[in-house]
Structures are given as structure tokens and as C-alpha cells.
């Protein structure tokens, strides 16, 4: 069994009030909540520091936990909610972002199941193969390399692995066949006991350099299991253009 927590903040540099933006007659956060409810989660909770979001979520039937406004990271917010829900150290929590209205429920179940199956992991997450070199060299697309058991070795915004001979002359049109390039999908399952450890650690130098929270876990010796997504992930909403694309996808569904 596992629990889903959906962090939802009103503040957003590019799209203020993003969780409440309408998509097909419903606020975005309601679409996210409905997708999470279609998973096998024991509970689905929206975590917010904004009373406007809380009121809307309660209106459509969601459980809501109010959180502090000063969390340095989303993982810190998740830990506060786990405490308020009274979750045990060996419980599993899946962090579903509040701007993923098309997230397939199968992926939520997959990361939760992988966290259970791979006992050495404190975190389970997902990836997918890169299909083009332009995305590989895009710093907004996070890359991951793993060992032979599927445990993460490193995450980076830079292209990884670096195929020296193929990349020597610059960015190639086609990806080298020798290397396996994988894009990280930001869906996580955590053991609650790990969350309590995480918030006690200072930010790691690699985490600060790359602006990637998961590097703190690797820095302090924790293991992250990474599997290829069992179904194709769907686009989230970061920009106004993303919002319009998702509106069209949902309206045409």
C-alpha cells in the first residue's frame, strides 16, 4: 500500500495560480487529483500553503493538508505532510506534481511497486529513452545514468554519458548507437523514514550546482532505483504554451 501526496503552490514565476487554471471546465489540480485517484493508492492528499487552493480542492472532494510557506524544497514539504498524516517510517509516499493533469495512473503504481520490490532503494523514480540529440543537449531535460541493477549513478542537466569520439566534433544529428541515453521523469516514490533523514541534511554541493534535489540523496549515500516508464509519460504544464497544448489534448479526449 502507498499514499499519494500532491504538492500545489499558488506562486509560480511563469504561471501564477497554476493549480487553479481551468482545463476543460475544471481547475488543473482537480485533473491531477482524479488521475491520482485512479491509481491503487490508499489515500490521495493535496498539500498546499494557499487557502484559495485548499478551498477549491475541498469543494471537489479532495483531502487537504495545509503546509508551511517557507519550505526550501518540495521534499521538505512532503515530509511535513507525512508527519501530519501520521505515516510510519516504512510507509511509501508517491509525490505527484500538481501540474501533471495527464499523468498516467499506471506510472504512479509503477514507482510505488518498484520501491517495494527493490528493498535497497530509498527512492524509486522513472526514465525514458531520448529520441533526438536536441533534447539530449537541452539543460531542462534531466539525464540519468544507472548501474547494471537499475540504481542511479548520477543525474545531470548536461548530456550523459559523454560519447567522446562521437561528440568530439560537436553535437551530432543522430544519437550514437553505442550509448544508452535516458531522460529522467520527475515522479518519485519515497520511504517515509528516508524523508525524515533527508530534511536533516544540508544541501549538497552537487545538488546546488545542478539544481537537482535528488543529488542530495546520492551525496549522502542513499540509493535511487530508476526504471523505464511502463507507459509513455504525458506533458506537464510549465508555460502558457504547455497549458494550451494540454487543454487541446484533454478537450479532444
Amino acid at each position: 500500500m502507498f499514499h499519494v501526496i500532491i504538492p500545489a503552490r499558488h506562486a509560480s514565476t511563469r504561471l501564477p495560480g497554476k493549480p487553479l487554471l481551468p482545463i476543460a471546465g475544471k481547475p488543473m489540480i482537480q485533473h491531477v487529483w482524479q488521475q491520482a485517484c485512479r491509481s491503487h493508492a490508499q489515500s490521495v492528499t493535496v498539500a498546499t500553503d494557499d487557502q484559495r487552493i485548499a478551498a477549491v480542492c475541498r469543494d471537489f472532494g479532495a483531502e487537504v493538508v495545509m503546509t508551511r510557506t517557507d519550505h526550501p524544497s518540495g521534499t521538505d514539504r512532503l515530509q511535513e505532510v507525512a508527519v501530519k498524516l501520521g505515516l510510519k517510517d516504512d510507509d511509501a509516499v508517491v509525490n505527484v506534481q500538481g501540474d501533471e493533469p495527464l499523468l498516467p495512473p499506471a506510472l504512479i503504481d509503477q514507482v510505488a511497486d518498484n520501491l517495494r520490490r527493490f528493498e535497497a532503494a530509498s527512492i524509486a523514480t522513472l526514465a525514458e529513452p531520448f529520441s533526438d540529440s536536441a533534447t539530449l543537449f537541452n539543460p531542462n531535460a534531466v539525464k540519468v545514468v544507472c548501474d547494471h541493477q537499475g540504481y542511479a549513478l548520477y543525474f545531470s542537466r548536461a548530456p550523459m554519458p559523454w560519447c567522446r569520439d562521437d561528440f568530439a566534433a560537436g553535437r551530432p544529428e543522430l544519437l550514437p548507437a553505442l550509448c544508452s541515453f535516458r531522460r529522467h521523469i520527475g515522479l518519485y516514490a519515497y520511504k517515509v523514514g528516508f524523508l525524515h533523514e533527508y530534511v536533516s541534511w544540508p544541501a549538497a554541493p552537487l545538488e546546488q550546482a545542478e539544481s537537482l534535489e535528488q543529488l542530495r540523496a546520492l551525496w549522502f549515500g542513499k540509493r535511487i532505483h530508476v526504471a523505464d516508464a511502463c507507459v509513455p509519460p504525458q506533458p506537464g504544464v510549465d508555460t502558457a504554451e504547455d497549458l494550451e497544448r494540454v487543454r487541446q489534448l484533454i478537450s479532444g479526449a
Side-chain angles (χ1 to χ4, degrees):
M1 301 296 290
F2 65 95
H3 305 267
V4 167
I5 298 174
I6 307 172
R9 298 180 66 244
H10 196 275
S12 172
T13 304
R14 287 180 284 189
L15 285 175
K18 183 163 57 172
L20 301 182
L21 294 175
I23 300 175
K26 301 176 185 177
M28 184 189 306
I29 188 65
Q30 185 172 355
H31 289 278
V32 178
W33 176 78
Q34 288 174 334
Q35 291 297 94
C37 288
R38 294 185 181 112
S39 74
H40 291 97
Q42 182 177 342
S43 68
V44 178
T45 304
V46 176
T48 186
D49 57 7
D50 189 275
Q51 290 291 350
R52 291 163 293 185
I53 294 174
V56 168
C57 291
R58 291 186 180 113
D59 282 347
F60 62 70
E63 294 292 327
V64 178
V65 169
M66 299 301 299
T67 64
R68 290 165 28 205
T69 60
D70 59 347
H71 284 300
S73 73
T75 310
D76 292 86
R77 189 177 307 279
L78 208 67
Q79 187 268 346
E80 181 191 1
V81 177
V83 171
K84 287 187 171 180
L85 292 177
L87 301 184
K88 300 176 182 178
D89 283 358
D90 58 353
D91 285 338
V93 167
V94 177
N95 182 12
V96 172
Q97 296 300 322
D99 57 5
E100 298 280 351
L102 296 172
L103 180 67
L107 297 186
I108 300 174
D109 291 333
Q110 183 184 9
V111 290
D113 186 57
N114 285 349
L115 185 67
R116 178 187 60 81
R117 291 172 53 224
F118 295 91
E119 296 182 0
S122 297
I123 307 173
T125 189
L126 301 174
E128 65 175 346
F130 277 105
S131 58
D132 62 90
S133 64
T135 309
L136 177 68
F137 282 81
N138 181 347
N140 293 317
V142 177
K143 298 83 188 175
V144 60
V145 292
C146 300
D147 66 15
H148 72 287
Q149 295 177 300
Y151 290 101
L153 295 171
Y154 193 64
F155 297 84
S156 181
R157 297 185 182 278
M160 302 190 306
W162 186 261
C163 292
R164 186 192 63 178
D165 295 340
D166 294 279
F167 292 163
R171 190 167 74 188
E173 290 292 325
L174 298 176
L175 292 175
L178 178 65
C179 295
S180 174
F181 300 97
R182 298 166 79 201
R183 183 183 76 87
H184 177 229
I185 298 168
L187 178 66
Y188 297 97
Y190 302 94
K191 293 176 180 175
V192 170
F194 162 80
L195 292 175
H196 299 326
E197 290 186 84
Y198 183 94
V199 299
S200 71
W201 299 328
L206 294 175
E207 171 193 1
Q208 294 174 313
E210 297 259 18
S211 190
L212 296 173
E213 291 178 34
Q214 62 269 40
L215 291 176
R216 190 185 310 184
L218 295 183
W219 179 266
F220 284 97
K222 299 300 181 179
R223 304 187 79 181
I224 302 175
H225 185 269
V226 185
D228 283 337
C230 62
V231 297
Q234 298 298 310
V237 178
D238 290 320
T239 66
E241 292 75 18
D242 294 338
L243 178 62
E244 185 57 34
R245 182 167 62 251
V246 168
R247 282 171 171 165
Q248 291 175 1
L249 288 170
I250 289 179
S251 297

